[in-house]
Amino acid sequence: MTIRRLGVGQRMSNIVIHQGLVYLCGQVAKDKYQGITEQTRTMLEEVDALLLEAGSSREHLLSATLYLKDMGDYDAMNAVWDAWVPRGHAPARACVEAKIAEPEYLVEVSVIAALKP
């Protein structure tokens, strides 16, 4: 049983790969002072970059959990999300309202994906 960890820190790894699955740590926006649309867009750019590094892609997403600071941002976040998810490749998904570690962040996502064959 091999577990591969990338971007390993004291508290967490950015990527963990095990038995053909890719687990990403929670991803947030590049700039926490932007609005929900920009935060969602740049957060998903981070997901793309980590999936690429791991040998996966958004077409291989299995599951996503989105955390919103305020459910009032649900529609705006979904507009960006829906444009980002490839048609026919939507993952299982949950979206909850939550306090995020830094109060300026409006959205965070955690994803699990399959490695590309």
Side-chain angles (χ1 to χ4, degrees), residues 3-51:
I3 299 173
R4 188 168 158 226
R5 301 173 198 279
L6 304 172
V8 179
Q10 178 63 34
R11 183 169 291 154
M12 66 184 169
S13 297
N14 290 334
I15 302 166
V16 176
I17 302 168
H18 176 63
Q19 293 189 343
L21 298 178
V22 176
Y23 302 84
L24 300 185
C25 66
Q27 294 302 301
V28 293
K30 292 178 185 175
D31 182 352
K32 63 185 175 183
Y33 299 105
Q34 295 295 313
I36 188 64
T37 298
E38 186 65 12
Q39 282 200 27
T40 304
R41 188 185 67 73
T42 62
M43 172 190 74
L44 294 174
E45 286 175 359
E46 294 294 316
V47 170
D48 278 334
L50 289 172
L51 289 172

